[in-house]
């Protein structure tokens, strides 16, 4: 391989490695840590949010950043914008929104929660904005989990089972983008509900994958 081929290969490899770290931590936060925190004592929660969570969130947000940057490189320099099909476009849009949710919603609100717990650990009082910040971070995190299965489906299908016949299927692309936009608007302005429980978000993500696949294939 020449120099550019090596760089392109390393970009693909890095994209996969960073993506595994990002989505793995996303699932950890939603499926494991959240359940523990809901049942933990106040003292255990303070320990969790002052000693474990800050470190885990560092890896989480920078894994998201590196996944996004390597993805941009692959789309722009390796595949080329003009060669993208409907499936990789929808997958990339969902991944980009997930990345933005990490940096613009989850992390800023988790900083409020962490600072509040650090205050309590130091003998001070909790921030009254903590509950609201935690709810916003949770909804965005659940939304990212909701997006994760269809995002991964289209990322894989774009290389191994391309759906929708490229950009000939503009209606599939448009309807898919409308669905994605509606879900993200709920993440920004909505509230948690039955579908944002662990079971609810897993089953909803499977349903969303099927719906998005049907939209791309049938429209």
């Amino acid at each position: 391989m020449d120099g550019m081929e090596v760089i392109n290969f390393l970009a693909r490899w890095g994209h996969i490695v960073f993506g595994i770290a990002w989505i793995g931590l996303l699932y950890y936060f939603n499926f494991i840590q959240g359940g523990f925190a809901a049942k933990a004592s106040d003292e255990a929660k303070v320990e969790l949010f002052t000693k474990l969570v800050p470190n885990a969130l560092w890896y989480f947000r920078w894994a998201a950043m590196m996944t996004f940057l390597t993805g941009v490189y692959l789309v722009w320099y390796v595949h080329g914008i003009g060669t993208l099909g409907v499936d990789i476009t929808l997958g990339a849009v969902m991944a980009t929104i997930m990345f933005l949710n990490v940096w613009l919603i989850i992390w800023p609100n988790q900083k409020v929660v962490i600072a509040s717990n650090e205050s309590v650990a130091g003998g001070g009082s909790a921030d009254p904005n903590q509950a609201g910040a935690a709810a916003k971070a949770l909804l965005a995190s659940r939304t990212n989990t909701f997006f994760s299965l269809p995002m991964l489906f289209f990322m894989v299908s774009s290389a191994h089972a391309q759906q929708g016949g490229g950009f000939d299927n503009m209606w599939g692309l448009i309807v898919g983008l409308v669905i994605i936009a509606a879900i993200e608007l709920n993440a920004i302005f909505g509230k948690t509900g039955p579908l944002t429980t662990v079971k609810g978000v897993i089953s909803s993500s499977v349903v969303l994958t099927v719906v998005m696949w049907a939209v791309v294939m049938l429209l």
Side-chain angles (χ1 to χ4, degrees), residues 26-213:
L26 174 68
Y27 290 165
Y28 159 75
F29 285 130
N30 281 273
F31 302 154
I32 300 172
Q33 180 180 290
F36 170 80
K39 299 177 182 178
S41 65
D42 291 340
E43 294 78 8
K45 289 179 183 177
V46 171
E47 287 278 304
L48 177 70
F49 282 98
T50 56
K51 296 181 178 179
L52 188 151
V53 171
N55 188 42
L57 281 172
W58 187 92
Y59 285 99
F60 176 65
R61 67 182 185 273
W62 286 107
M65 175 67 77
M66 295 306 297
T67 305
F68 174 73
L69 292 178
T70 52
V72 169
Y73 175 86
L74 291 172
V75 167
W76 190 265
Y77 292 102
V78 178
H79 297 291
I81 296 293
T83 65
L84 299 181
V86 172
D87 43 10
I88 189 62
T89 301
L90 291 175
V93 168
M94 284 186 277
T96 300
I97 289 174
M98 291 168 66
F99 159 74
L100 293 174
N101 283 343
V102 169
W103 280 92
L104 301 182
I105 301 178
I106 297 172
W107 174 231
N109 283 288
Q110 284 287 18
K111 284 196 291 185
V112 174
V113 176
I114 292 169
S116 178
N117 280 275
E118 288 175 341
S119 175
V120 172
S125 57
D127 186 337
N129 297 314
Q130 175 182 339
K136 290 178 182 178
L138 175 63
L139 182 56
S141 187
R142 288 290 201 260
T143 301
N144 277 9
T145 305
F146 188 32
F147 276 137
S148 66
L149 291 186
M151 180 273 292
L152 291 169
F153 177 90
F154 285 123
M155 289 292 183
V156 174
S157 72
S158 67
H160 300 286
Q162 192 172 74
Q163 310 295 321
F167 278 115
D168 292 336
N169 183 9
M170 289 302 297
W171 278 113
L173 176 63
I174 292 170
V175 173
L177 291 175
V178 169
I179 292 172
I180 292 169
I183 293 169
E184 180 58 17
L185 286 172
N186 180 72
I188 298 172
F189 301 108
K191 296 181 179 179
T192 55
L195 295 181
T196 58
T197 63
V198 171
K199 290 182 179 179
V201 78
I202 292 173
S203 58
S204 297
S205 188
V206 173
V207 171
L208 179 62
T209 303
V210 174
V211 169
M212 294 286 284
W213 176 79

Side-chain angles (χ1 to χ4, degrees), residues 10-24 63 66-67 70:
L10 291 176
R12 291 181 187 276
W13 174 71
H15 189 64
I16 293 170
V17 171
F18 292 124
I20 289 171
W22 176 18
I23 301 303
M66 295 306 297
T67 305
T70 52

